[in-house]
Amino acid sequence: MELSLKDIATLVGGTLLGRPEIKIGGVAGMKEAREGDITFLSNPKYLPFLDETRASAVLVGEEISPPPGKTVIRCKNPSLAFNKVVEQFKPSSNGFPKGIHPTAVLGKDVSLGPSVNIGPYAVVEEGVQIGKGSSIGAGSFIGHHSQVGRDTLIYPHVTIREETVMGDRVIIHSGTVIGSDGFGFETVDGVHHKIPQVGHVVIGDDVEMGANVTVDRARFGKTVIKKGTKIDNLVQVAHNVEIGEHCLIVAQVGISGTTQIGHHVIIGGQAGLVGHIEVGDEVIIAAKSGISKDVPKGMVLWGSPALPIQEEKRNIANVRRLGPFFDRVKELEKKVEKLKDSQ
Amino acid sequence: MELSLKDIATLVGGTLLGRPEIKIGGVAGMKEAREGDITFLSNPKYLPFLDETRASAVLVGEEISPPPGKTVIRCKNPSLAFNKVVEQFKPSSNGFPKGIHPTAVLGKDVSLGPSVNIGPYAVVEEGVQIGKGSSIGAGSFIGHHSQVGRDTLIYPHVTIREETVMGDRVIIHSGTVIGSDGFGFETVDGVHHKIPQVGHVVIGDDVEMGANVTVDRARFGKTVIKKGTKIDNLVQVAHNVEIGEHCLIVAQVGISGTTQIGHHVIIGGQAGLVGHIEVGDEVIIAAKSGISKDVPKGMVLWGSPALPIQEEKRNIANVRRLGPFFDRVKELEKKVEKLKDSQ
Amino acid sequence: MELSLKDIATLVGGTLLGRPEIKIGGVAGMKEAREGDITFLSNPKYLPFLDETRASAVLVGEEISPPPGKTVIRCKNPSLAFNKVVEQFKPSSNGFPKGIHPTAVLGKDVSLGPSVNIGPYAVVEEGVQIGKGSSIGAGSFIGHHSQVGRDTLIYPHVTIREETVMGDRVIIHSGTVIGSDGFGFETVDGVHHKIPQVGHVVIGDDVEMGANVTVDRARFGKTVIKKGTKIDNLVQVAHNVEIGEHCLIVAQVGISGTTQIGHHVIIGGQAGLVGHIEVGDEVIIAAKSGISKDVPKGMVLWGSPALPIQEEKRNIANVRRLGPFFDRVKELEKKVEKLKDSQ
């Protein structure tokens, strides 16, 4: 398949600086691109490669002045524009085979919307409802009385325990477990007695969860992940946690029980949050931070225990200055002794 | 279903302060409860909500003086008491369908006790023994010659590799892998040669493991998790580790090879322990700590590298005082110069 | 089964100090060994146990002088030597049942080499190629058009998404997910739009991956793990990451998108690397470190944010000296005041 640069400029609504008749046959990253490919420049870190790339054309932001002889298409958002071009060359498909595989085990009173796909060896228990156009991957398990919305993708080997409620256009990657029991015990005389976990999990529209994520069901009530929130691989969401809309939770984050997170919060990889705290809207938590207290709206935190990022940076810089500083104090001590002696 | 407060007070052995004929129709948390619900107060952090809750009654500790007009039932352990009430409204069931599903694949010489349940597409290999009343979830795998005790629950999509030994009343949540090979290599001339991992895993009675946990088999001998220990989601237990009785291991902890942990140890989320160390009984390790040395009995540690918690707190406070402190030294230097000049 | 020490010395090419006719009936660790067992001493930390072990013989390095009366076999590499002995007593077998289980679902145009084993309920999609002698465990999923090399072991419950390319003698443990979508979104007006992840994953010969690992497919191009690299449990490898040959990545490490790692790099447990950086060959990153910048070849780093390990150690020591140091400054201030007063 080939597209001309003229066609691509039209497709993305951009301005072509170069010859419109050049033919493009593929898409690739800046460094990997070869002649005949189109690529894009979004992260300013890659600006130095603009001159070096072997791509025949580059989608760039409107503010970029290309090096002489470089063919570019200027557009508002080069990354989104590139997505459109990628879609032309590699039309996305969820890769799920069509229809209900004969080996899928469906419990009684399962309700399936039109155009639902269910892979081989999937198990859908009693009373589950699956909305129009959703797909359940091979070997996935949907526990009884769960609800799956429309156009939702459950990849192979996902475990969704009973009574989970899931919205439309949700994507759950392989190995993820939703609705496992919360980690709750009452210790009496040194023996840990299990606290029944009789709540469930509610997942909003347009949520995406990576691979091998764990989301525990509530002790009672519900664990909630709201609309548009995206969760990376290997994240732990404990019982009764509530995550607001449009958050980004990076890989290996752990969120302890009953903690509440506002909307548009960003949590960097491997950060950890204790239980029973509230994190305000639009908070940013840097990678590896440890959060043990409520966080007001809009704060940017770093460190473990975390501080406002500027304070944490100052503390780190201060620690790194300690060596010479110790020397200065030693020097002072000598001078003071000398002064005393000479008095 | 409805219960009167009189009935509930009798059920939990508590003292009712309020009208005994009030009817209760449900259970909920302090904040979510509505009229007609009963809730409980266990964590003192929630004391301020006692006045605000819309619940018709609250299970509280014996020392609590309720606000005027608030109906409470005083009892010794409100959390355990609440469990009893929850059990009335939402009788727990392990949710496993009864019997052996016709699609379950059983190897030769598999021995099943009475009342064993095995879900669809579970695979139980040759020589496995499963005790009375245990349940194996859909799609779970039990490797050859493993032993599963009585009344044990293996949720869907658990992988138990060959020769694992598991006690009674064990609970293993979905996605957990028990008995994978330990991470052992011998490096010769820059190439890592696999060290055979020919040991196995032994899990005591009443152990619970969360979702997507990994427990490696021993190089030889055994990896051991003793009676009553509870392990949260996404925890890593390496080869030849030994965890004592009645420990609590919170989510995303990592325990490296051959480390030994005493009884009643608590390890906070995301903490990491190096290999080949001994952690004494009743030790508490705070979340995110890094432990690189033996820990004597009863210590409470924090930080990475960890210190006794009071020392770590002092160090953190000291670092946060560095800015003004640097200023004081600068000031001192000026004064000393002045003193020298005026001498 | 029994072997004489003479036989074992010959097997490992070592020098026996002791009676050649002694019979050995089993293998065990230094501490667990009983009379009749053979064990080995490799980690110098265990040297004190050499005298105490009840093993009838110990494989030791050539430089070890055994305590009087202790039977040893001196050899070049006691750990590798021990592997050979273990192999005699417990012949490794991958434990996979032979042949293609009748319940395995094979898509069209699947190409299987000779002696391929596929377990019950495995799903192998259209166009997959599996090389000679490889085994696919029960319930594993191999997405369409993936390639698996020769003598590769895929344990039960592995998910390999479409178009993955995997070399020879690769080992993938249970619960691992390869080829899930990268975590890529373009945020416009507070809404996160999914960036198509149309690349794939390429895994070199002799790579081993532990349980519940996640490796994301590339946005475009490929995520690469090169020959001989070994990855422990619960590790996260993000989209477009490239890991060089013969690296060791310990449990719960997280590597963010597009980061490049050289050959023979060692990354300790729970360390995290940000995206878009380069880590040079033979770098060593200590456990729990946070890496946010390029790392030149051969460096040894520790801390978060990480420093050369000697600097980090100095900083930690400096922080621990702050208490008495503050006292010294307070003392200086008093002295200076006194000097001023007495002027």
Side-chain angles (χ1 to χ4, degrees):
Chain A
M1 179 192 169
E2 282 193 341
L3 289 175
S4 73
L5 282 182
K6 191 183 159 203
D7 294 341
I8 291 175
T10 307
L11 173 75
V12 303
T15 310
L16 172 64
L17 306 187
R19 291 160 47 217
E21 71 277 12
I22 291 175
K23 293 290 186 199
I24 296 297
V27 290
M30 188 81 86
K31 293 182 183 175
E32 301 79 18
R34 290 179 290 191
E35 210 184 311
D37 287 340
I38 188 166
T39 186
F40 76 111
L41 172 68
S42 178
N43 186 335
K45 191 167 174 179
Y46 287 92
L47 190 53
F49 299 104
L50 179 54
D51 199 29
E52 293 171 25
T53 182
R54 286 179 292 167
S56 295
V58 186
L59 295 161
V60 299
E62 289 168 341
E63 74 292 354
I64 299 288
S65 301
K70 204 63 165 180
T71 298
V72 302
I73 298 174
R74 278 184 178 152
C75 46
K76 209 168 160 190
N77 185 323
S79 182
L80 283 186
F82 191 67
N83 289 352
K84 285 186 188 163
V85 182
V86 169
E87 185 65 23
Q88 296 296 312
F89 285 97
K90 296 202 167 191
S92 69
S93 103
N94 60 42
F96 289 95
K98 296 299 168 211
I100 315 293
H101 196 275
T103 62
V105 169
L106 304 192
K108 61 178 179 178
D109 300 324
V110 166
S111 149
L112 302 182
S115 307
V116 164
N117 307 308
I118 304 185
Y121 301 131
V123 173
V124 179
E125 290 195 330
E126 180 183 341
V128 168
Q129 297 174 29
I130 301 178
K132 181 183 171 188
S134 289
S135 297
I136 312 295
S140 278
F141 172 88
I142 318 278
H144 59 79
H145 301 98
S146 291
Q147 297 170 35
V148 176
R150 291 173 169 219
D151 297 316
T152 280
L153 304 182
I154 312 284
Y155 278 93
H157 291 173
V158 168
T159 304
I160 296 176
R161 287 267 307 274
E162 65 275 15
E163 295 170 26
T164 296
V165 175
M166 200 176 287
D168 298 340
R169 297 170 306 278
V170 170
I171 301 174
I172 310 287
H173 288 281
S174 298
T176 284
V177 177
I178 297 174
S180 41
D181 287 1
F183 192 66
F185 302 93
E186 190 70 30
T187 304
V188 180
D189 299 334
V191 175
H192 310 300
H193 297 269
K194 184 172 176 68
I195 294 174
Q197 305 287 315
V198 300
H200 64 141
V201 178
V202 176
I203 294 170
D205 294 341
D206 300 300
V207 167
E208 179 163 350
M209 283 190 213
N212 286 344
V213 169
T214 57
V215 182
D216 282 349
R217 64 197 311 107
R219 174 172 180 180
F220 35 75
K222 53 198 181 195
T223 303
V224 181
I225 298 171
K226 290 192 178 161
K227 187 171 71 176
T229 282
K230 312 296 184 182
I231 295 181
D232 201 353
N233 299 341
L234 292 165
V235 167
Q236 149 73 350
V237 179
H239 60 107
N240 293 86
V241 163
E242 194 174 313
I243 303 180
E245 296 183 359
H246 303 297
C247 294
L248 294 173
I249 317 281
V250 180
Q252 297 176 318
V253 161
I255 304 174
S256 306
T258 316
T259 279
Q260 292 193 13
I261 295 173
H263 63 73
H264 290 93
V265 171
I266 299 174
I267 308 183
Q270 299 184 333
L273 286 75
V274 301
H276 296 272
I277 60 170
E278 289 184 37
V279 175
D281 299 334
E282 294 163 16
V283 162
I284 298 175
I285 295 171
K288 277 193 171 289
S289 294
I291 309 296
S292 55
K293 292 178 187 164
D294 290 352
V295 183
K297 179 177 171 168
M299 288 196 74
V300 181
L301 296 185
W302 190 29
S304 179
L307 290 173
I309 192 163
Q310 294 308 332
E311 282 182 49
E312 178 68 7
K313 282 185 176 173
R314 218 176 302 132
N315 287 341
I316 290 168
N318 284 346
V319 166
R320 292 178 178 185
R321 290 164 59 198
L322 278 177
F325 195 73
F326 284 175
D327 294 340
R328 278 165 65 186
V329 172
K330 207 180 274 174
E331 189 61 28
L332 262 180
E333 284 171 333
K334 277 188 210 154
K335 282 186 186 165
V336 168
E337 282 313 302
K338 228 175 172 175
L339 280 168
K340 274 174 71 180
D341 290 350
S342 68
Q343 233 182 355
Chain B
M1 180 191 169
E2 282 193 339
L3 288 175
S4 72
L5 282 182
K6 191 184 157 200
D7 293 341
I8 291 176
T10 306
L11 172 76
V12 303
T15 309
L16 172 65
L17 306 187
R19 289 162 48 217
E21 71 278 11
I22 291 174
K23 293 291 187 198
I24 295 298
V27 289
M30 188 80 87
K31 293 182 184 173
E32 301 79 18
R34 290 179 290 191
E35 210 185 310
D37 286 341
I38 188 165
T39 187
F40 76 110
L41 173 68
S42 178
N43 186 335
K45 192 166 174 181
Y46 287 90
L47 191 54
F49 298 105
L50 178 55
D51 198 30
E52 293 171 25
T53 182
R54 286 179 292 166
S56 295
V58 187
L59 295 161
V60 299
E62 289 170 341
E63 73 294 353
I64 298 289
S65 301
K70 203 57 152 186
T71 298
V72 302
I73 297 174
R74 280 183 176 152
C75 46
K76 209 168 159 189
N77 185 324
S79 183
L80 283 186
F82 191 67
N83 288 352
K84 286 185 188 164
V85 182
V86 168
E87 184 66 21
Q88 296 297 311
F89 285 97
K90 296 204 166 189
S92 69
S93 104
N94 61 40
F96 288 94
K98 296 299 168 211
I100 315 293
H101 196 275
T103 62
V105 169
L106 305 192
K108 62 178 178 177
D109 301 323
V110 166
S111 150
L112 303 182
S115 306
V116 164
N117 307 308
I118 303 185
Y121 302 130
V123 173
V124 178
E125 289 195 329
E126 179 183 341
V128 168
Q129 298 174 28
I130 301 179
K132 180 183 170 188
S134 288
S135 296
I136 311 297
S140 278
F141 173 88
I142 318 278
H144 58 79
H145 302 97
S146 292
Q147 298 169 34
V148 176
R150 293 174 168 215
D151 296 316
T152 280
L153 304 182
I154 311 284
Y155 278 92
H157 291 174
V158 168
T159 305
I160 296 175
R161 288 265 308 273
E162 65 275 15
E163 295 170 26
T164 297
V165 176
M166 200 176 288
D168 298 339
R169 297 170 306 280
V170 170
I171 300 174
I172 309 289
H173 288 281
S174 297
T176 285
V177 177
I178 297 174
S180 41
D181 287 2
F183 191 67
F185 302 92
E186 191 70 31
T187 304
V188 179
D189 298 335
V191 175
H192 310 301
H193 297 269
K194 184 172 177 70
I195 295 174
Q197 305 287 315
V198 300
H200 64 140
V201 178
V202 176
I203 294 171
D205 294 341
D206 300 300
V207 166
E208 179 162 350
M209 281 189 213
N212 286 344
V213 169
T214 57
V215 182
D216 281 349
R217 65 196 312 107
R219 174 171 181 180
F220 35 75
K222 53 198 182 195
T223 304
V224 181
I225 298 172
K226 291 192 178 162
K227 187 170 73 177
T229 281
K230 313 296 185 183
I231 295 180
D232 202 354
N233 299 341
L234 291 165
V235 167
Q236 149 73 351
V237 179
H239 60 107
N240 293 85
V241 163
E242 193 174 313
I243 303 181
E245 298 184 357
H246 304 297
C247 294
L248 293 174
I249 316 282
V250 180
Q252 295 175 321
V253 161
I255 305 174
S256 305
T258 316
T259 280
Q260 293 193 14
I261 295 174
H263 63 73
H264 290 94
V265 170
I266 298 173
I267 307 183
Q270 298 183 334
L273 286 74
V274 301
H276 296 272
I277 60 170
E278 289 185 36
V279 175
D281 299 334
E282 294 164 15
V283 162
I284 297 175
I285 295 171
K288 277 192 170 290
S289 294
I291 310 295
S292 55
K293 292 178 187 165
D294 290 353
V295 183
K297 179 178 171 169
M299 287 196 74
V300 181
L301 296 185
W302 190 29
S304 179
L307 290 174
I309 193 164
Q310 294 309 331
E311 281 182 49
E312 178 68 7
K313 282 185 176 174
R314 218 177 301 132
N315 286 342
I316 289 168
N318 284 346
V319 166
R320 291 178 179 186
R321 290 164 59 198
L322 278 177
F325 195 72
F326 285 175
D327 295 339
R328 277 165 65 188
V329 171
K330 208 180 276 175
E331 190 59 27
L332 262 180
E333 285 172 334
K334 277 188 210 153
K335 282 185 185 164
V336 167
E337 282 313 302
K338 229 174 171 177
L339 280 169
K340 276 174 70 179
D341 289 350
S342 66
Q343 232 182 358
Chain C
M1 179 192 170
E2 281 193 341
L3 289 175
S4 72
L5 282 183
K6 192 183 157 202
D7 293 340
I8 292 175
T10 306
L11 172 75
V12 303
T15 310
L16 173 64
L17 306 187
R19 291 162 46 217
E21 70 278 12
I22 291 175
K23 292 291 187 200
I24 296 297
V27 289
M30 188 82 87
K31 293 182 182 174
E32 301 79 19
R34 289 180 291 191
E35 210 183 310
D37 287 341
I38 188 165
T39 187
F40 76 110
L41 172 68
S42 177
N43 187 336
K45 193 167 172 179
Y46 286 91
L47 190 55
F49 299 104
L50 179 55
D51 199 29
E52 293 171 24
T53 182
R54 286 179 292 166
S56 295
V58 186
L59 295 161
V60 300
E62 288 169 341
E63 73 294 353
I64 298 289
S65 301
K70 203 60 156 184
T71 299
V72 302
I73 297 174
R74 279 184 176 150
C75 46
K76 209 169 159 189
N77 185 324
S79 183
L80 284 186
F82 191 67
N83 288 353
K84 285 186 188 165
V85 182
V86 168
E87 184 65 23
Q88 296 298 310
F89 285 97
K90 296 203 167 191
S92 68
S93 103
N94 60 42
F96 288 94
K98 296 297 167 212
I100 314 292
H101 195 276
T103 63
V105 169
L106 304 192
K108 62 178 176 177
D109 301 323
V110 166
S111 150
L112 303 182
S115 308
V116 164
N117 307 309
I118 304 185
Y121 301 131
V123 173
V124 178
E125 289 195 331
E126 181 182 340
V128 168
Q129 298 174 28
I130 301 178
K132 179 184 172 189
S134 288
S135 297
I136 311 296
S140 277
F141 173 88
I142 318 279
H144 58 79
H145 301 98
S146 291
Q147 298 170 33
V148 176
R150 293 173 169 218
D151 297 316
T152 280
L153 304 182
I154 312 283
Y155 278 93
H157 291 173
V158 168
T159 304
I160 296 174
R161 287 266 308 274
E162 66 276 14
E163 295 170 27
T164 297
V165 176
M166 200 176 289
D168 298 339
R169 297 170 307 278
V170 170
I171 301 175
I172 310 288
H173 288 281
S174 297
T176 284
V177 177
I178 297 173
S180 41
D181 287 1
F183 192 66
F185 303 92
E186 191 69 32
T187 304
V188 180
D189 299 334
V191 174
H192 310 301
H193 297 269
K194 184 171 177 71
I195 295 174
Q197 305 287 315
V198 299
H200 63 140
V201 178
V202 176
I203 294 171
D205 295 340
D206 300 300
V207 167
E208 179 162 351
M209 281 190 214
N212 286 343
V213 169
T214 57
V215 181
D216 282 349
R217 64 197 312 107
R219 174 173 180 178
F220 34 75
K222 53 198 181 193
T223 305
V224 181
I225 298 172
K226 291 192 177 161
K227 186 171 72 175
T229 282
K230 312 296 184 182
I231 295 181
D232 201 354
N233 299 341
L234 291 165
V235 166
Q236 150 74 350
V237 180
H239 59 108
N240 293 85
V241 164
E242 194 175 313
I243 304 180
E245 297 183 358
H246 303 298
C247 295
L248 293 174
I249 317 281
V250 180
Q252 296 175 320
V253 161
I255 304 173
S256 305
T258 315
T259 280
Q260 292 192 13
I261 295 174
H263 63 73
H264 290 94
V265 170
I266 299 174
I267 308 183
Q270 299 183 334
L273 286 74
V274 300
H276 296 271
I277 60 170
E278 289 184 36
V279 175
D281 299 334
E282 295 164 15
V283 162
I284 297 176
I285 295 171
K288 276 193 171 289
S289 294
I291 310 295
S292 55
K293 292 178 186 164
D294 290 352
V295 183
K297 179 177 171 169
M299 288 196 73
V300 181
L301 295 185
W302 190 30
S304 178
L307 291 174
I309 192 164
Q310 294 308 333
E311 280 182 50
E312 178 68 7
K313 282 185 176 173
R314 218 176 301 133
N315 286 342
I316 290 169
N318 283 346
V319 166
R320 292 179 179 185
R321 290 163 59 199
L322 278 177
F325 194 74
F326 285 175
D327 295 339
R328 277 165 66 186
V329 171
K330 207 179 278 174
E331 189 61 27
L332 262 181
E333 286 172 332
K334 277 189 211 152
K335 283 185 185 165
V336 168
E337 283 313 301
K338 229 172 170 177
L339 280 169
K340 276 173 69 180
D341 289 350
S342 69
Q343 233 183 356

